[in-house]
Amino acid sequence: MITKPFVCVLLAMCAADAPAAAAEPSCVTVREGWVRLPPGSAPMAAGYGVIHNGCKAPVTVVAAGSKAFGEVSLHETTLVNGVSRMRAVERLPIAPNASVALKPGGLHLMLMQPEVPLKNGGEVPLRLSLEHGRKIDAMLIIRADAPRSPAR
């Protein structure tokens, strides 16, 4: 049958393109990522950083995860009538060549159920899932205190 040779050639062509695609640098990055060291053995921590979309098209973050935590999600803290409220963020769209800051008192990562001991200076792996299946990996530094903003 002619179908089998055609499928084999098609698979070989896809396999040849796979290393090039895998080697291509991601246009979505996480910079200045950090996790606030929780007090004692608290069951949750918060993560921060800057997600930058250097792509030519918009992207949407639809999930987050980490091998160091049982559950990771995006949240936003807002002030409503003088009361601080937090809500889950299901989708985080980022325009082309734009950045979104995850910071205390605003958008942030909720890192729940730590699966490893957290210590100052340690690292936490982070994986962001984008719409359409792309994954972005980053490392967050564990810090006892927030980093100082650079002088401008």
Side-chain angles (χ1 to χ4, degrees):
M1 266 199 171
I2 199 155
T3 307
K4 282 186 180 178
F6 176 74
V7 169
C8 290
V9 169
L10 185 61
L11 287 173
M13 289 172 55
C14 290
D17 285 343
E24 183 180 310
S26 175
C27 53
V28 179
T29 57
V30 178
R31 300 185 310 237
E32 304 167 25
W34 65 285
V35 172
R36 185 179 305 276
L37 183 65
S41 60
M44 68 181 83
Y48 310 102
V50 177
I51 306 170
H52 179 72
N53 176 14
C55 304
K56 295 178 183 176
V59 298
T60 301
V61 178
V62 294
S66 175
K67 292 179 182 179
F69 289 87
E71 186 179 337
V72 179
S73 57
L74 281 164
H75 279 77
E76 181 176 31
T77 301
T78 56
L79 195 59
V80 178
N81 295 326
V83 177
S84 182
R85 301 195 188 267
M86 189 168 44
R87 69 171 181 89
V89 175
E90 303 296 326
R91 300 170 46 82
L92 180 61
I94 307 172
N97 296 310
S99 295
V100 172
L102 305 180
K103 58 186 178 183
L107 284 168
H108 60 280
L109 295 165
M110 284 301 303
L111 305 153
M112 295 167 275
Q113 304 159 7
E115 297 185 357
V116 298
L118 302 178
K119 62 180 183 175
N120 194 36
E123 294 184 334
V124 171
L126 174 69
R127 173 168 279 179
L128 298 178
S129 298
L130 304 181
E131 199 167 51
H132 308 301
R134 285 185 48 206
K135 308 285 186 203
I136 307 302
D137 291 327
M139 286 300 236
L140 308 177
I141 305 299
I142 301 170
R143 301 180 57 101
D145 298 312
R148 292 180 183 231
S149 297
R152 295 183 193 241

